[in-house]
Amino acid sequence: QVTLKESGPVRVKPTETLTLTCTVSEISPTNTRMGVSWIRQSPGKALEWLAHIFSNDEKSYNTSLQSRLTISTDTSGSQVVLVMTNLDPVDTATYYCARVITGAPYVFGVWGQGTLVTVSS
Amino acid sequence: EIVLTQSPATLSLSPGDRATLSCRASQSVGTFLAWYQQKPGQAPRLLIYDASNRATGIPARFSGSGSGTDFTLTISSLEPEDFAVYYCQQRNNWPPLFAFGPGTKVESK
């Protein structure tokens, strides 16, 4: 059984940099790294995919935001970090990390609870 | 880059009704399409993947169909806990970009 938990600041100021961490915990680690994405949801809006790190460390970014995003992981894959630069109030959202499922590596089978980030001066 | 559209935006139904939700892709995605349910204040939950496979623990009243560009999520008989927002999602082969549809809200009539 795997759980994901997001952590990071609750509030950031405009123009600042946001760093979020997704901690992946497994009761019985399989030693098989799985792809993890960051996804956000502005209040009352739809889900927006931001970035993904594949099991082979390849990375993919939302084309509209890629100049501001960096995704990375530690060697064990137990922490996935998202860095977003030059924050704006429109970046206020709940940020989720989600892991893909075995056999369908485009499908998010496990989600964190989400962390609300407010961008305000 | 593949764009997903969902219709209708809102579906007003009663418990026991059949719900039919549509997702359309701007180009073929084969059967690489997933559906999620999201309730207020909660993270999304995977319902269906590969267009028609139910995820673990998902009741049989949820079914998915379609291929290519047109997909359907059907809830055969709505239970009170099914009133929620439903999203479809896919991933490009190359470049490997993920995308969600705008969602369909299933609300109580």
Side-chain angles (χ1 to χ4, degrees), chain A residues 4 6 22 24 34-40 48-54 60-62 71 80-82 95-100 105-108 110-112, chain B residues 89 91 96-100:
Chain A
L4 281 66
E6 305 88 350
C22 175
V24 181
M34 307 283 283
V36 173
S37 268
W38 282 94
I39 296 149
R40 73 178 179 181
E48 179 181 28
W49 172 75
L50 299 176
H52 188 83
I53 188 161
F54 293 86
S60 181
Y61 296 98
N62 182 309
I71 191 170
V80 178
V81 175
L82 180 75
Y95 287 76
Y96 296 99
C97 59
R99 199 179 86 159
V100 300
Y106 71 97
V107 175
F108 303 114
V110 185
W111 293 67
Chain B
Q89 177 253 322
R91 196 203 90 183
L97 305 174
F98 297 74
F100 289 90

Side-chain angles (χ1 to χ4, degrees), chain A residues 41 49 60-61 63 106 108 112, chain B residues 1 33 36 38 50 89 96:
Chain A
Q41 187 171 38
W49 172 75
S60 181
Y61 296 98
T63 52
Y106 71 97
F108 303 114
Chain B
E1 191 170 331
L33 188 105
Y36 302 83
Q38 188 180 32
D50 289 350
Q89 177 253 322

